[in-house]
Amino acid sequence: MKWVIMNEKQLIKAAIKARALAYAPYSHFKVGAALCTADGEIYQGCNIENSSYSLTICAERTAFFKAVYDGKKQFEAIAIVGGHEDNVELEICPACGACRQVFAEFCEGDFKIILAKNENEYIVKTLSQLLPMSFELK
Ligand code: THU
């Protein structure tokens, strides 16, 4: 099925809501993500940190792994918001390299990545723009 009606602002709103659940007692940098599946569902994720720092998972991967566990494997877009918990205004949080590689596992180059400060200020990139040469096993 093709992407139905999910618009960018709705997806950003969902990412902002997800950010409220971030568990970031070490960095205090909270991130929210909202992933839109090809059949129009939204999967939200937040970053979840760990005292053994490297075990931290980013908001984007939380959203992807929730969706894949639910049997979803086709995706249209993800909205990402982030910022230090003390700051009222969010900043553009462009998705780390590890998350981009996870996007590439399931998505084509035209997958939309919406990097938002709020519902009205955001930029839209494609996966091929953010990760031009992803690793693939042939
Ligand atoms: N983080 C994300 O959740 N997504 C990103 O795209 C970049 C970084 C998280 C990981 C860590 O909990 C905190 O932000 C600071 O790096």
Side-chain angles (χ1 to χ4, degrees):
M1 202 192 293
K2 251 340 244 177
W3 191 17
V4 214
I5 33 76
M6 186 51 48
N7 72 39
E8 288 159 357
K9 287 185 198 298
Q10 277 177 287
L11 211 53
I12 293 166
K13 245 190 208 172
I16 291 169
K17 277 198 179 151
R19 181 174 173 268
L21 296 171
Y23 175 75
Y26 305 105
S27 73
H28 303 281
F29 190 87
K30 295 188 168 186
V31 184
L35 174 64
C36 183
T37 66
D39 53 4
E41 286 194 50
I42 299 182
Y43 283 84
Q44 290 161 289
C46 61
N47 54 331
I48 303 169
E49 298 189 342
N50 192 277
S51 57
S52 174
Y53 291 0
S54 64
L55 296 179
T56 291
I57 186 162
C58 294
E60 299 89 322
R61 276 177 287 152
T62 304
F64 261 85
F65 296 158
K66 282 172 65 184
V68 173
Y69 181 75
D70 263 2
K72 308 290 180 179
K73 292 205 180 51
Q74 287 186 303
F75 304 103
E76 296 292 336
I78 191 167
I80 306 163
V81 297
H84 192 279
E85 63 188 5
D86 292 342
N87 295 345
V88 182
E89 296 206 347
L90 302 180
E91 58 197 70
I92 296 291
C93 177
C96 76
C99 288
R100 294 177 195 195
Q101 180 67 36
V102 169
F103 301 167
E105 184 66 29
F106 298 100
C107 307
E108 301 299 323
D110 62 352
F111 178 65
K112 272 169 64 171
I113 301 165
I114 301 160
L115 307 171
K117 289 185 180 179
N118 55 56
E119 274 172 66
N120 299 312
E121 289 176 278
Y122 59 88
I123 52 177
V124 183
K125 298 281 181 188
T126 63
L127 180 57
S128 58
Q129 286 175 312
L130 292 193
L131 188 66
M133 225 168 118
S134 62
F135 177 73
E136 263 180 70
L137 276 182
K138 297 285 178 205

